[in-house]
Amino acid sequence: MVTTAPLWQASDSELVDAYSAVVQRRRQLYAEELRLLAEMESRGVATKLGYSNTSALLMHTARLSRAEARHRLAQAQDLHAMTTPTGSVIEPVLPQTAEALARGEVGSEHVDVIRKTLANLPHLDAEQRATAEQVMLTRAAEDDPKALTRFGTRVRDIVDPDGPPPREEQPARPARMLRRHIRRDGTMEFKGHLDLESAQLFENLLKPFEKPHTEGGDTRGYAERAGDAFADVLRMAANCPELPTQNGVRTEVAVTISFEELQRALDDVVLSGDRRMSASEARRIACDAHVLPAVLGGDSKPLDVAVPAYTTPAHIRRGLYLRDKGCSFPSCERPASVCDAHHVVPWAQGGPTKLDNLASLCPSHHRLIHNSAWTVEMVDGRPWFTPPAYVDPSQRPRRNELHAPLPRTAA
């Protein structure tokens, strides 16, 4: 949309539409710039004109910094076919991204994220790379570059869940480390780090002991309580098997699918603390884990509350935790532990406090839903969000893919 009328006469939505149109044209012009750069580099125009390379030429003609000139040239080389001095043609690394940029659907920052994501997946074959590029472009149509970067960490699990085959000789790299030093007075100081499974077990063992004492007042700080809790755990371990029953168990895996499916491919794993693990890690830990079956109702949904209530009960919040795994607003990465339970149909209008009428929203997006034109509805038991027309003229519903189970592809 191009408006020639004074801007003060334009409505708010017309201003946003006009700005979006300018951004699209700028991206299309940038795509044309990269296409020209690719041709200049293929022909060796810079050396013919007496320059050492194309970057040096751009520093004079476009007054770009050397770093920016090299950046644009690197993008051009990945998005377009190049011809070597011997006449051989190098096919583009990201042809679909070049087409999306030419349509104005993505920007330079999106291109950088896609380039970096695929560069970190060198083991993919041609078909898997094409699938990964398409998956990233689909998300880029809705996500800003930062959100796309977060999603990029999951692309490998989508297109190649088994990962690259292990090398015959894996370098020795311990996952756990502990350094300790006995002082002259017999006391000890130590530091180290633990792998995911051991860290989870350590946290679960400490929690029952590090709570403040309720009787007589507890003046200990958090560090002192944690130190006392660690000493208590050591004493309990010395008197094994008298371990505490609350949290003092092996890693807990909340399974919302059959245990047989868990053994084959596990994508829906929840650890307290909003931690995630790969499918291969989950399969390994599940072989020796305390498996907690989540009680499901009809259509494989966690239990609903029988009596309507405004305050969301603990078991309903647990159901939201298992279903949404965090803020359900598109592209939000906030964990479930900081989220509110939003009533899709307002409670004041008769909306029940049931899982089918609740969505996990972080405080920021909870405010946005209440104060903007964004809308949310439940589709097949999950929240879907419809953006205003000034965000997406077609107003296509979208959901948060960062917390969703990974889809399987033919690749």
Side-chain angles (χ1 to χ4, degrees):
M1 172 183 177
V2 179
T3 176
T4 57
L7 293 181
W8 63 267
Q9 294 181 353
S11 67
D12 293 344
S13 60
E14 288 174 338
L15 280 175
V16 175
D17 289 344
Y19 177 79
S20 298
V22 169
V23 170
Q24 183 181 23
R25 292 200 305 274
R26 175 166 54 82
R27 290 172 172 175
Q28 291 172 328
L29 286 174
Y30 187 69
E32 180 63 16
E33 177 184 350
L34 296 187
R35 193 173 72 90
L36 293 172
L37 284 178
E39 183 65 19
M40 291 167 60
E41 179 73 3
S42 293
R43 293 189 188 183
V45 170
T47 55
K48 293 178 182 178
L49 296 178
Y51 287 86
S52 58
N53 51 53
T54 304
S55 297
L57 175 62
L58 295 181
M59 291 173 64
H60 279 179
T61 58
R63 295 177 296 282
L64 299 177
S65 67
R66 185 180 300 276
E68 179 60 22
R70 289 175 175 174
H71 170 241
R72 298 187 186 186
L73 186 59
Q75 287 186 334
Q77 292 172 334
D78 279 353
L79 268 60
H80 297 282
M82 304 290 292
T83 303
T84 67
T86 61
S88 60
V89 177
I90 302 176
E91 296 299 326
V93 177
L94 302 172
Q96 299 177 83
T97 304
E99 296 173 359
L101 182 63
R103 294 191 296 268
E105 296 174 357
V106 297
S108 175
E109 290 183 282
H110 291 106
V111 173
D112 285 337
V113 173
I114 296 173
R115 291 177 63 225
K116 183 177 180 180
T117 299
L118 294 188
N120 291 332
L121 302 172
H123 67 281
L124 298 183
D125 58 32
E127 184 178 359
Q128 289 174 328
R129 288 185 64 85
T131 301
E133 184 183 5
Q134 181 57 54
V135 169
M136 291 290 288
L137 288 172
T138 300
R139 295 306 313 156
E142 299 181 359
D143 289 352
D144 62 86
K146 185 176 181 180
L148 184 63
T149 299
R150 295 193 297 265
F151 180 79
T153 61
R154 308 184 70 200
V155 167
R156 189 210 70 185
D157 292 330
I158 294 175
V159 300
D160 186 21
D162 291 330
R167 293 181 298 178
E168 293 184 1
E169 296 182 0
Q170 291 285 2
R173 185 177 181 180
R176 297 180 288 269
M177 179 270 290
L178 176 66
R179 291 192 177 97
R180 60 190 187 273
H181 171 66
I182 303 294
R183 296 173 175 174
R184 290 185 178 180
D185 60 0
T187 60
M188 177 187 292
E189 63 180 11
F190 54 87
K191 69 176 182 178
H193 69 262
L194 298 173
D195 61 279
L196 174 64
E197 180 184 2
S198 300
Q200 185 73 26
L201 177 60
F202 185 73
E203 283 291 307
N204 288 343
L205 288 171
L206 286 185
K207 284 180 180 178
F209 297 103
E210 64 182 358
K211 297 177 181 178
H213 295 160
T214 56
E215 64 280 353
D218 193 343
T219 60
R220 299 175 301 165
Y222 174 77
E224 293 175 289
R225 287 190 281 113
D228 290 343
F230 187 38
D232 289 339
V233 169
L234 291 177
R235 282 191 290 269
M236 293 295 290
N239 295 322
C240 186
E242 296 179 3
L243 290 175
T245 57
Q246 181 183 3
N247 289 327
V249 295
R250 297 190 60 83
T251 303
E252 294 182 350
V253 179
V255 185
T256 57
I257 54 178
S258 68
F259 185 68
E260 291 74 19
E261 179 63 19
L262 169 69
Q263 293 176 315
R264 292 194 297 271
L266 181 59
D267 293 326
D268 203 10
V269 178
V270 178
L271 293 178
S272 60
D274 302 292
R275 296 173 175 85
R276 285 191 173 275
M277 65 178 69
S278 68
S280 60
E281 290 173 327
R283 284 194 294 268
R284 176 181 59 80
I285 293 175
C287 291
D288 188 23
H290 188 134
V291 179
L292 298 180
V295 180
L296 305 180
D299 298 326
S300 296
K301 299 173 185 175
L303 286 177
D304 292 335
V305 64
V307 180
Y310 183 69
T311 301
T312 307
H315 69 287
I316 293 296
R317 289 190 179 276
R318 182 57 179 173
L320 282 175
Y321 188 106
L322 291 172
R323 190 194 69 191
D324 295 342
K325 303 179 182 61
C327 179
S328 57
F329 193 86
S331 302
C332 183
E333 63 176 350
R334 298 299 302 278
S337 58
V338 302
C339 290
D340 303 327
H342 169 71
H343 285 69
V344 176
V345 177
W347 181 79
Q349 299 177 11
T353 304
K354 299 178 62 176
L355 197 62
D356 282 344
N357 190 48
L358 295 173
S360 298
L361 289 175
C362 68
S364 175
H365 288 124
H366 201 174
R367 289 191 296 269
L368 181 67
I369 288 297
H370 280 281
N371 299 310
S372 73
W374 279 85
T375 60
V376 56
E377 63 177 338
M378 303 299 293
V379 179
D380 294 331
R382 292 186 178 274
W384 285 76
F385 297 80
T386 301
Y390 57 79
V391 174
D392 181 3
S394 63
Q395 293 190 287
R396 292 170 297 181
R398 56 185 71 174
R399 60 174 291 191
N400 193 333
E401 299 292 345
L402 292 177
H403 304 304
L406 297 176
R408 300 298 184 188
T409 67

